[in-house]
Amino acid sequence: MIVSKTTQEQLLSALQSVAGVVERRHTLVVLSNVLLRKTGDTLELTASDLEIQVRTNAQVGGDEGTLATTVAARKLIDILRSLPAEQVVTLTAASGKLTLQAGKSRFTLLTLPADDFPLVQEAADFGPAFSVPQKTLRSLINQVHFAMAVHDIRYYLNGILFVAEGRTLTLVATDGHRLALAQATLDVEMPRQEVILPRKTVLELLRLLKEDKAEGRDSPKPARAAEGAEPPAAEGADAAAGVPQIEMRFAGNQAKFRFNGLEFVTKLVEGKFPDYNRVIPKNHKNGLVLGRAPLLSSLQRAAILTSDKFKGVRVNLEAGLLRIAANNAEQEEAREELEVDYAGDDIEIGFNVTYLIDALANTDVEMVKLELQDSHSSALLTVPERPGFKYVVMPMRI
């Protein structure tokens, strides 16, 4: 049976949109495969790692009829990448194998039965759906994802907290040494829902949202939703104006996202996220507003002479001047000075320079505000033009 007859570009795009969750090595061999279900001229592609499941559809021609099989995702992608974008590719399934033919090139791949592919069982208690523009969610994730913990034994820190309440969507990430918070306004009133998305889910969402080319390049052709799926929500003026939206629904142990013809289902991190409101400093008496780019450049230069294990920099604030200093075990030293509009207390405080660079590098604003209490209290970084963003970083001994 001819499963697909379409261009390399269309088939590769559909495969790449789901294959990001596929593990190269898995105890279940079939999870290295992508599930292909052919119905008429529509090909449904599903990938899973048991925690995340991503599904999309593509109109790919081929024979009428139905077929279900699985094939190695990475091998198929690597083959397609090696072919010209305009090349017509034919996939044919027969006798437990899938044959790919393109011009004078021919590849035969082993398949595994579709019945062996473990699909994620979707939760029955999803809350109400709500939507935000894709670029809004992408911006929120960009503002906080770098503060997630990595392999922390406090497993609830290895992800991002999503809180939908009223007309506000809040994302929070922390690794115990710093905390990032970003907020956006919803078009609908929501009862409070709170979930923790795992780190892998967050990074895969960010990858897929970056591939939404709403600005400048064409968005992928919308695919039909999976059989039995509800149509995507379209609330608010943005949806009416054709701005690409992402629909979200949360359940007790799952979250579901729909965008760009994709259905994305993920398990959640269980556990209680720290009370982030208690961590955010209030009423710091010393503050200054300064250019993000000059501060970032100064920190990056000073970081060159920090040691790999000890990334500390010393920050001195005095009237009209901010000094940054770093040194290492080889007695090398870096010093930076920035003229600033500051008339508060003289303060000397140490920071992990990476924590400051991460926050400044993951935003594109012109000005930032730094608030301090003293040499021993956490610092608060905010953005005057983005009131929903807050970044807290703990000091370190230098």
Side-chain angles (χ1 to χ4, degrees):
M1 176 182 181
I2 297 178
V3 180
S4 166
K5 190 170 185 179
T6 186
T7 63
Q8 175 268 6
E9 186 175 29
Q10 184 177 7
L11 186 56
L12 180 60
S13 175
L15 266 170
Q16 287 178 322
S17 68
V18 302
V21 302
V22 175
E23 300 285 355
R24 291 190 179 272
R25 292 182 179 86
H26 205 286
T27 51
L28 284 177
V29 176
V30 73
L31 287 179
S32 297
N33 288 11
V34 59
L35 173 63
L36 306 177
R37 290 190 184 276
K38 178 72 183 300
T39 306
D41 64 351
T42 300
L43 183 65
E44 180 185 276
L45 301 94
T46 305
S48 175
D49 66 355
L50 296 181
E51 303 290 327
I52 307 170
Q53 180 174 287
V54 187
R55 177 179 293 155
T56 192
N57 292 325
Q59 307 299 315
V60 294
D63 292 340
E64 292 293 324
T66 60
L67 174 82
T69 189
T70 77
V71 67
R74 299 295 179 188
K75 288 179 183 176
L76 189 54
I77 285 175
D78 289 344
I79 291 169
L80 288 169
R81 280 176 174 161
S82 70
L83 299 170
E86 68 280 358
Q87 182 86 62
V88 174
V89 174
T90 302
L91 293 180
T92 306
S95 304
K97 293 183 179 179
L98 188 74
T99 300
L100 184 152
Q101 191 154 356
K104 295 184 178 180
S105 301
R106 182 184 178 92
F107 305 85
T108 301
L109 299 173
L110 183 69
T111 61
L112 292 174
D115 290 343
D116 294 348
F117 194 89
L119 295 171
V120 172
Q121 185 68 38
E122 292 193 16
D125 60 337
F126 278 107
F130 61 98
S131 297
V132 297
Q134 292 182 31
K135 63 180 181 181
T136 298
L137 184 60
R138 185 169 69 242
S139 174
L140 291 178
I141 294 175
N142 268 324
Q143 291 175 61
V144 305
H145 78 280
F146 55 85
M148 288 187 292
V150 182
H151 304 308
D152 197 297
I153 57 172
R154 298 165 295 179
Y155 49 89
Y156 47 83
L157 299 184
N158 300 317
I160 289 181
L161 176 70
F162 276 57
V163 181
E165 184 175 19
R167 288 184 173 267
T168 303
L169 175 65
T170 303
L171 273 63
V172 187
T174 180
D175 61 6
H177 303 286
R178 43 150 170 204
L179 179 145
L181 178 149
Q183 294 180 321
T185 302
L186 300 173
D187 289 330
V188 292
E189 193 82 20
M190 293 294 297
R192 183 177 176 87
Q193 299 181 78
E194 181 175 318
V195 298
I196 305 173
L197 295 191
R199 181 181 180 86
K200 181 177 178 180
T201 296
V202 170
L203 297 180
E204 183 62 16
L205 267 178
L206 192 57
R207 181 185 77 86
L208 291 170
L209 287 167
K210 282 183 176 177
E211 290 181 357
D212 161 43
K213 307 307 177 190
E215 307 97 6
R217 286 194 281 176
D218 293 334
S219 298
K221 294 181 180 178
R224 296 190 300 193
E227 185 176 350
E230 308 93 326
E235 293 97 3
D238 282 328
V243 175
Q245 301 281 302
I246 179 166
E247 178 196 277
M248 292 176 261
R249 298 185 72 188
F250 300 145
N253 63 345
Q254 280 184 357
K256 183 190 293 185
F257 302 85
R258 286 204 177 99
F259 60 105
N260 294 350
L262 290 172
E263 182 184 84
F264 188 111
V265 179
T266 177
K267 291 185 178 179
L268 302 174
V269 178
E270 296 181 4
K272 179 64 177 176
F273 202 83
D275 183 355
Y276 55 89
N277 285 312
R278 292 181 59 187
V279 176
I280 299 172
K282 297 174 178 65
N283 303 319
H284 273 356
K285 62 180 179 179
N286 300 296
L288 69 155
V289 176
L290 70 167
R292 179 193 67 88
L295 178 58
L296 175 59
S297 296
S298 293
L299 290 167
Q300 288 172 329
R301 288 191 294 267
I304 296 170
L305 294 188
T306 59
S307 63
D308 291 337
K309 292 183 179 180
F310 185 75
K311 305 295 291 185
V313 293
R314 188 169 59 255
V315 175
N316 285 84
L317 261 177
E318 57 186 68
L321 196 63
L322 183 149
R323 292 193 179 94
I324 300 167
N327 53 50
N328 56 35
E330 287 76 34
Q331 305 299 313
E332 297 170 325
E333 189 174 28
R335 289 187 178 274
E336 293 278 338
E337 288 189 358
L338 291 170
E339 293 183 359
V340 293
D341 183 8
Y342 178 73
D345 299 341
D346 288 358
I347 295 176
E348 179 177 307
I349 188 169
F351 293 111
N352 182 318
V353 69
T354 303
Y355 294 167
L356 296 177
I357 289 173
D358 283 345
L360 296 170
N362 280 280
T363 186
D364 56 0
V365 298
E366 184 177 350
M367 307 298 288
V368 295
K369 183 177 183 181
L370 181 63
E371 296 178 63
L372 298 162
Q373 180 69 21
D374 52 43
S375 300
H376 311 291
S377 303
S378 58
L380 176 64
L381 186 74
T382 56
V383 176
E385 62 190 77
R386 197 174 284 166
F389 173 77
K390 293 180 174 66
Y391 183 66
V392 182
V393 58
M394 296 295 293
M396 68 181 296
R397 288 185 177 180
I398 300 296

PDB file of all heavy atoms in Angstrom, residues 152-164:
ATOM      1  N   ASP A 152      17.028  18.069  40.282  1.00  0.00           N
ATOM      2  CA  ASP A 152      16.994  18.349  41.717  1.00  0.00           C
ATOM      3  C   ASP A 152      16.205  17.255  42.427  1.00  0.00           C
ATOM      4  O   ASP A 152      15.207  16.764  41.902  1.00  0.00           O
ATOM      5  CB  ASP A 152      16.342  19.716  41.961  1.00  0.00           C
ATOM      6  CG  ASP A 152      16.639  20.273  43.348  1.00  0.00           C
ATOM      7  OD1 ASP A 152      16.225  19.648  44.344  1.00  0.00           O
ATOM      8  OD2 ASP A 152      17.284  21.337  43.438  1.00  0.00           O
ATOM      9  N   ILE A 153      16.659  16.849  43.608  1.00  0.00           N
ATOM     10  CA  ILE A 153      15.918  15.829  44.351  1.00  0.00           C
ATOM     11  C   ILE A 153      14.547  16.355  44.771  1.00  0.00           C
ATOM     12  O   ILE A 153      13.625  15.572  45.013  1.00  0.00           O
ATOM     13  CB  ILE A 153      16.695  15.340  45.588  1.00  0.00           C
ATOM     14  CG1 ILE A 153      17.033  16.513  46.518  1.00  0.00           C
ATOM     15  CG2 ILE A 153      17.956  14.605  45.177  1.00  0.00           C
ATOM     16  CD1 ILE A 153      17.626  16.069  47.841  1.00  0.00           C
ATOM     17  N   ARG A 154      14.416  17.676  44.832  1.00  0.00           N
ATOM     18  CA  ARG A 154      13.081  18.276  45.031  1.00  0.00           C
ATOM     19  C   ARG A 154      12.432  18.324  43.659  1.00  0.00           C
ATOM     20  O   ARG A 154      12.453  19.346  42.971  1.00  0.00           O
ATOM     21  CB  ARG A 154      13.226  19.668  45.639  1.00  0.00           C
ATOM     22  CG  ARG A 154      13.876  19.695  47.022  1.00  0.00           C
ATOM     23  CD  ARG A 154      14.327  21.077  47.424  1.00  0.00           C
ATOM     24  NE  ARG A 154      15.404  21.562  46.559  1.00  0.00           N
ATOM     25  CZ  ARG A 154      15.968  22.759  46.676  1.00  0.00           C
ATOM     26  NH1 ARG A 154      15.570  23.595  47.618  1.00  0.00           N
ATOM     27  NH2 ARG A 154      16.942  23.121  45.857  1.00  0.00           N
ATOM     28  N   TYR A 155      11.852  17.205  43.256  1.00  0.00           N
ATOM     29  CA  TYR A 155      11.412  16.995  41.879  1.00  0.00           C
ATOM     30  C   TYR A 155      10.431  18.067  41.399  1.00  0.00           C
ATOM     31  O   TYR A 155      10.352  18.351  40.215  1.00  0.00           O
ATOM     32  CB  TYR A 155      10.780  15.606  41.746  1.00  0.00           C
ATOM     33  CG  TYR A 155       9.746  15.295  42.801  1.00  0.00           C
ATOM     34  CD1 TYR A 155       8.411  15.627  42.612  1.00  0.00           C
ATOM     35  CD2 TYR A 155      10.110  14.683  44.001  1.00  0.00           C
ATOM     36  CE1 TYR A 155       7.468  15.373  43.575  1.00  0.00           C
ATOM     37  CE2 TYR A 155       9.167  14.414  44.978  1.00  0.00           C
ATOM     38  CZ  TYR A 155       7.839  14.754  44.762  1.00  0.00           C
ATOM     39  OH  TYR A 155       6.911  14.511  45.722  1.00  0.00           O
ATOM     40  N   TYR A 156       9.698  18.684  42.330  1.00  0.00           N
ATOM     41  CA  TYR A 156       8.718  19.707  41.933  1.00  0.00           C
ATOM     42  C   TYR A 156       9.398  20.981  41.416  1.00  0.00           C
ATOM     43  O   TYR A 156       8.736  21.861  40.871  1.00  0.00           O
ATOM     44  CB  TYR A 156       7.783  20.045  43.094  1.00  0.00           C
ATOM     45  CG  TYR A 156       8.501  20.296  44.406  1.00  0.00           C
ATOM     46  CD1 TYR A 156       9.048  21.535  44.708  1.00  0.00           C
ATOM     47  CD2 TYR A 156       8.641  19.273  45.348  1.00  0.00           C
ATOM     48  CE1 TYR A 156       9.719  21.766  45.895  1.00  0.00           C
ATOM     49  CE2 TYR A 156       9.304  19.488  46.553  1.00  0.00           C
ATOM     50  CZ  TYR A 156       9.834  20.731  46.812  1.00  0.00           C
ATOM     51  OH  TYR A 156      10.509  20.946  48.000  1.00  0.00           O
ATOM     52  N   LEU A 157      10.717  21.095  41.591  1.00  0.00           N
ATOM     53  CA  LEU A 157      11.442  22.251  41.052  1.00  0.00           C
ATOM     54  C   LEU A 157      11.925  22.006  39.623  1.00  0.00           C
ATOM     55  O   LEU A 157      12.371  22.948  38.955  1.00  0.00           O
ATOM     56  CB  LEU A 157      12.644  22.594  41.936  1.00  0.00           C
ATOM     57  CG  LEU A 157      12.362  22.973  43.390  1.00  0.00           C
ATOM     58  CD1 LEU A 157      13.650  23.378  44.083  1.00  0.00           C
ATOM     59  CD2 LEU A 157      11.313  24.079  43.482  1.00  0.00           C
ATOM     60  N   ASN A 158      11.840  20.758  39.155  1.00  0.00           N
ATOM     61  CA  ASN A 158      12.333  20.424  37.812  1.00  0.00           C
ATOM     62  C   ASN A 158      11.259  20.676  36.763  1.00  0.00           C
ATOM     63  O   ASN A 158      10.896  19.798  35.979  1.00  0.00           O
ATOM     64  CB  ASN A 158      12.778  18.960  37.764  1.00  0.00           C
ATOM     65  CG  ASN A 158      13.891  18.665  38.745  1.00  0.00           C
ATOM     66  OD1 ASN A 158      14.835  19.445  38.869  1.00  0.00           O
ATOM     67  ND2 ASN A 158      13.788  17.556  39.461  1.00  0.00           N
ATOM     68  N   GLY A 159      10.735  21.876  36.756  1.00  0.00           N
ATOM     69  CA  GLY A 159       9.681  22.222  35.813  1.00  0.00           C
ATOM     70  C   GLY A 159       9.216  23.640  36.042  1.00  0.00           C
ATOM     71  O   GLY A 159       9.828  24.412  36.790  1.00  0.00           O
ATOM     72  N   ILE A 160       8.111  23.991  35.404  1.00  0.00           N
ATOM     73  CA  ILE A 160       7.535  25.336  35.525  1.00  0.00           C
ATOM     74  C   ILE A 160       6.116  25.224  36.082  1.00  0.00           C
ATOM     75  O   ILE A 160       5.322  24.400  35.638  1.00  0.00           O
ATOM     76  CB  ILE A 160       7.497  26.059  34.166  1.00  0.00           C
ATOM     77  CG1 ILE A 160       8.910  26.453  33.724  1.00  0.00           C
ATOM     78  CG2 ILE A 160       6.624  27.309  34.224  1.00  0.00           C
ATOM     79  CD1 ILE A 160       8.954  27.199  32.409  1.00  0.00           C
ATOM     80  N   LEU A 161       5.825  26.058  37.059  1.00  0.00           N
ATOM     81  CA  LEU A 161       4.476  26.155  37.603  1.00  0.00           C
ATOM     82  C   LEU A 161       3.620  27.024  36.688  1.00  0.00           C
ATOM     83  O   LEU A 161       3.994  28.149  36.357  1.00  0.00           O
ATOM     84  CB  LEU A 161       4.530  26.769  39.000  1.00  0.00           C
ATOM     85  CG  LEU A 161       3.177  27.031  39.679  1.00  0.00           C
ATOM     86  CD1 LEU A 161       2.510  25.712  40.067  1.00  0.00           C
ATOM     87  CD2 LEU A 161       3.347  27.930  40.896  1.00  0.00           C
ATOM     88  N   PHE A 162       2.464  26.498  36.263  1.00  0.00           N
ATOM     89  CA  PHE A 162       1.466  27.262  35.512  1.00  0.00           C
ATOM     90  C   PHE A 162       0.282  27.500  36.449  1.00  0.00           C
ATOM     91  O   PHE A 162      -0.273  26.541  36.999  1.00  0.00           O
ATOM     92  CB  PHE A 162       0.973  26.477  34.292  1.00  0.00           C
ATOM     93  CG  PHE A 162       1.838  26.587  33.067  1.00  0.00           C
ATOM     94  CD1 PHE A 162       3.176  26.230  33.099  1.00  0.00           C
ATOM     95  CD2 PHE A 162       1.304  27.039  31.867  1.00  0.00           C
ATOM     96  CE1 PHE A 162       3.967  26.310  31.967  1.00  0.00           C
ATOM     97  CE2 PHE A 162       2.087  27.126  30.726  1.00  0.00           C
ATOM     98  CZ  PHE A 162       3.422  26.767  30.774  1.00  0.00           C
ATOM     99  N   VAL A 163      -0.109  28.747  36.610  1.00  0.00           N
ATOM    100  CA  VAL A 163      -1.278  29.078  37.427  1.00  0.00           C
ATOM    101  C   VAL A 163      -2.218  29.942  36.588  1.00  0.00           C
ATOM    102  O   VAL A 163      -1.851  31.040  36.155  1.00  0.00           O
ATOM    103  CB  VAL A 163      -0.895  29.844  38.710  1.00  0.00           C
ATOM    104  CG1 VAL A 163      -2.148  30.134  39.540  1.00  0.00           C
ATOM    105  CG2 VAL A 163       0.113  29.063  39.526  1.00  0.00           C
ATOM    106  N   ALA A 164      -3.425  29.413  36.364  1.00  0.00           N
ATOM    107  CA  ALA A 164      -4.465  30.204  35.698  1.00  0.00           C
ATOM    108  C   ALA A 164      -5.503  30.553  36.747  1.00  0.00           C
ATOM    109  O   ALA A 164      -6.065  29.663  37.393  1.00  0.00           O
ATOM    110  CB  ALA A 164      -5.097  29.412  34.567  1.00  0.00           C
TER     111      ALA A 164
END
